[in-house]
Amino acid sequence: DTAVSQTPKYLVTQMGNDKSIKCEQNLGHDTMYWYKQDSKKFLKIMFSYNNKELIINETVPNRFSPKSPDKAHLNLHINSLELGDSAVYFCASSPSGEYNEQFFGPGTRLTVL
Amino acid sequence: SQQGEEDPQALSIQEGENATMNCSYKTSINNLQWYRQNSGRGLVHLILIRSNEREKHSGRLRVTLDTSKKSSSLLITASRAADTASYFCATDDGAQKLVFGQGTRLTINP
């Protein structure tokens, strides 16, 4: 199936741990994104990569480090997890071009205890 | 900063009725998009309207855009139970990122 996939779907971990979330898209898109959706459903962009290059880096703690090994993958590593990091993290991708229609993955629900 | 704000935050209607959701934004845009999010799922793109367009249709969806008022509306006609979801507007100012509102939670009652 052509899609944006994320793993894992659920992640429960203790404060202070380091964790990673992986994202893959097989749509042939050039641009990939990470979003954070909080408990009030507010969706905020964190990072964006275009052809493996970082193009958007919103005000995000440097405990969050994205990595794009190739243009089909964008992973998110989080160090020293804090309670406030609990949220749903969405990966998305979009094709090149004038119109920035985005395709979202199913999300990773991160719970920090 | 948050760009789009949806109104109402929640809407509950009977199946078959029409649902209207509004979105206001603050700065100039290249285009405005509407997305749907079913519970526990990712967002799905519904429709895109360019800044030089005033109205667009897709099936049972009708979107309007008023750039002078910096507002947009999404109308879903003849609603169905499967339309129950959260609906988000997102603005694209041409800087390769979308800025989302907080969404309208739509419930269609059978």
Side-chain angles (χ1 to χ4, degrees):
Chain A
D1 287 344
T2 53
V4 180
S5 59
Q6 293 178 230
T7 53
K9 189 163 172 61
Y10 300 97
L11 188 50
V12 181
T13 188
Q14 300 286 334
M15 250 181 10
N17 284 350
D18 303 338
K19 290 293 177 186
S20 292
I21 308 171
K22 295 188 176 182
C23 177
E24 177 181 1
Q25 55 95 4
N26 60 6
L27 298 165
H29 291 166
D30 291 323
T31 308
M32 296 184 73
Y33 310 82
W34 278 111
Y35 287 89
K36 179 181 180 181
Q37 187 173 45
D38 63 22
S39 57
K40 294 184 179 177
K41 301 292 186 187
F42 180 46
L43 193 72
K44 192 169 193 302
I45 189 165
M46 301 172 69
F47 301 103
S48 172
Y49 271 74
N50 181 271
N51 274 318
K52 304 193 297 173
E53 278 193 43
L54 181 67
I55 56 170
I56 294 172
N57 183 352
E58 293 291 290
T59 309
V60 176
N62 58 15
R63 298 181 295 105
F64 290 79
S65 51
K67 268 205 181 123
S68 181
D70 56 60
K71 76 172 197 178
H73 296 84
L74 180 61
N75 304 322
L76 183 65
H77 188 76
I78 315 170
N79 289 326
S80 304
L81 278 155
E82 300 178 357
L83 294 177
D85 298 333
S86 294
V88 182
Y89 291 83
F90 287 99
C91 177
S93 70
S94 66
S96 297
E98 186 181 353
Y99 303 115
N100 191 6
E101 174 190 341
Q102 295 186 14
F103 295 76
F104 282 76
T108 295
R109 181 174 292 277
L110 171 65
T111 303
V112 182
L113 304 174
Chain B
S1 62
Q2 188 176 345
Q3 168 77 304
E5 292 190 7
E6 277 98 339
D7 167 56
Q9 289 192 353
L11 179 61
S12 181
I13 60 173
Q14 295 300 120
E15 196 166 15
E17 292 179 341
N18 295 341
T20 300
M21 288 156 272
N22 302 297
C23 169
S24 60
Y25 58 92
K26 295 173 185 166
T27 62
S28 297
I29 61 170
N30 186 36
N31 64 73
L32 185 144
Q33 302 177 32
W34 286 90
Y35 287 79
R36 183 186 73 230
Q37 184 180 30
N38 289 88
S39 182
R41 311 287 283 273
L43 279 74
V44 174
H45 182 267
L46 294 176
I47 196 166
L48 180 153
I49 186 164
R50 289 176 272 188
S51 60
N52 62 355
E53 295 176 315
R54 291 296 165 258
E55 189 171 311
K56 205 157 180 185
H57 297 253
S58 177
R60 293 184 295 113
L61 305 181
R62 173 180 166 247
V63 168
T64 63
L65 179 64
D66 186 336
T67 53
S68 66
K69 293 182 180 176
K70 292 187 168 56
S71 68
S72 174
S73 68
L74 171 67
L75 168 68
I76 303 174
T77 60
S79 63
R80 305 167 181 168
D83 295 329
T84 294
S86 291
Y87 291 83
F88 294 85
C89 70
T91 51
D92 179 359
D93 62 2
Q96 291 193 296
K97 71 176 185 182
L98 293 181
V99 180
F100 286 82
Q102 275 191 271
T104 293
R105 196 169 58 255
L106 175 65
T107 303
I108 309 298
N109 302 305

